[in-house]
Amino acid sequence: MPRRERTGHSSVSADTRLDGASAPGGVLPPDTRPGYPGDPLAEALSLLAGGAQGPAVDELIRTVSGAGNLTEVQARALEHARALARTHYEGASRRKQREAGLAALVDTARDLTLSDDLDELLAVIARRARLLLNVDMSYINFYDHPSGEAYVRVADGHATALTVGFRVPAEHGLGGDAWVSKAPFATSDYLTDSRIRHHPIIDEVVREEGLRGVMAIPLAHADTFFGVLYVADRGIRHFEPEETALMRSLADLATVAIEKADLLRQARDQIAELENDQSHARTDLLAQLGLSDSHSRMMEAVLAGRDLDALTSLAAELLGGPVLIMSPANRPLAAHGDIPGLDETAVVRASLDAHATREPLLLDCGARVLALSQGQEHLGTVVVGGDGAGEPELRLMRLISQTLSMALVLRRQTAVAESQVREEFFGDLLTDVQRPPGQLREKARRLALDLDQPHVVVVARPSGGSTNRVAVWASSYAYRMNGLKSLQGDSIALLLPGTDPSRIARDTLAELVPILGHPVTVGGAGPITRPEGIARAHREAVRCVRALMALGHTGASACVSDLGFLGMLLADDQDAEDFIQRTLGPVLEYDRQRSADLIRTLEAYFASGGSPTYAAETLHVHPNTVSRRLERITELIGAEWQKPGRALDLQLALRLQRISRTLERDPDGF
């Protein structure tokens, strides 16, 4: 069966000659073979074989047809050649377009390798998409899954409403269909297409932009959905399959680039996090080295036997602020620098809380309070000034407080270790056995004591509590104050440097009561400047304690001078003249200097039962004169001289002074 080719509405046999004659074996005669001069069909085929485009064949056909000498068969053959030429032309155009698209994709892939920034990559993709399809605009939406909306990440081309950051519902429009189908979705006229799930917001934007032909290409890989690439034209646009395939290929490239950028971002974030961790680790290491160095310096100072003042100064240097160390009774032990606005009441409250929590507590003034402790025993408090502190500084504070606690414990243990020798020496001083003063002073010198300096004797009698705790405290307190201590039955005797027995007795009471938790009665005597006077002062202090307890003042402190005439009776030497001077000295001195008569006025006032009028009659002066003299007496000896206890001391002193004057006038008493 001979092969036939369809041309137009008829077919031409391959064995038929163009002039209608048949050739044996289906071979054209030499004068009609392709390429033969004068044969239009052969010339047309030669043009096609040479790659000529459709317009060249059309020009040949017009030229041959104009000559008017073609047969019908030749005319049909030329029309068939024209159709072949057109098909060849269209195929070549599609190939060139496809080659151009592939070249553009290659260029796009190369551009996508030039940047790691996601927004820059998306901008390249949007621009390439617009140029590849020659559309008015393109943009890329990303999905915000928590809100269920899509937002414009990048846009290319002139746009008035679809600006970067604009949000639209994610499940509507072409993007929703592309998301569901995971395939490109296109429309030639968006607003009139009933396949689309329209939404008023999206339709309004499309209407405002004047868009009609729109294609949405999903940007997805495996189970990861990034967003949608849109290309849009302001005229009706029927997107060809080749264009859809081109956009799909572009979307694949975009997805790879997005994944690469995301992976690089994650890698950069991890690197930044590692660098941050490394920086923190380096900072922590340096801080730890600094803490270790500071702790070593504090420990070296403690082991070198530095005193509390030196340790406090070193702590202030290391902490960069003032430091105050207080005893368990909240009395200052050592300080370096001043802490502005420090409230002692707040420190007392905070010291108890710090001891309970074992953590630094912040005061309103900005200072921090830390407890000094050994186990559950409260050794004292350290207050650190400054404008606040971070964690490294707080750790340094804790280390320093621990070191200071150890220093206090070592100091107390040293005091306890030395206390036996010192206590034996103090016991010798408290006896009436006569020893050469030079021998006592030499022994005192070996114990770092100077008994030629003023000292006072304090006797403390607790009304309960642990005797061992009291003994330990007494050893530490005496060591800290550079004094001596001795246990005397149920009492403690202390020999302490100083000149004011009343104040030192109060200080001892304030130190001991918080530690013991029971009332303590304290008596003081002195000052003493000779070793042989210590035993007498001790007896006087004991009598003060007994007098306080007998008078119902257990838990108080006093010395002989605090007890008025009772103190004179309790004193070993019972010095009446000293009592008169302590009680009436300023009044007597005023009378001597100004020849006044205040003593006689005072005697008359008491003799008249405290009546200025009767006293004036006795003195033969005007009552106003007595009133002025009484005001002067108040200025000299204080406003409380008329109270019963003080008035009794004054009357006794007046009587002793009158007797003394009488004895001076008549020494023999006759």
Side-chain angles (χ1 to χ4, degrees), residues 537-582:
H538 175 255
R539 289 192 297 270
E540 188 174 299
V542 170
R543 284 196 291 269
C544 284
V545 171
R546 291 174 179 172
L548 287 172
M549 298 180 70
L551 293 172
H553 292 292
T554 299
S557 67
C559 66
V560 168
S561 63
D562 296 326
L563 297 177
F565 77 92
L566 182 60
M568 183 193 69
L569 299 176
L570 295 173
D572 251 3
D573 51 10
Q574 298 182 356
D575 189 349
E577 183 61 30
D578 182 61
F579 174 70
I580 293 171
Q581 287 299 319
R582 289 200 311 268

Side-chain angles (χ1 to χ4, degrees), residues 38 75 112 158 224 290 352 406 423 434 472 501 520 531 546 555 595 614 666:
L112 294 179
H158 180 68
T224 305
L352 298 176
M406 186 183 70
E423 188 168 347
Q434 297 297 322
V472 170
V520 180
R546 291 174 179 172
S595 300
Y614 292 153
D666 188 3

Side-chain angles (χ1 to χ4, degrees), residues 415-431:
V416 171
E418 294 181 356
S419 64
Q420 184 174 357
V421 176
R422 299 170 72 91
E423 188 168 347
E424 289 176 356
F425 176 63
F426 191 25
D428 293 341
L429 294 174
L430 294 178
T431 63

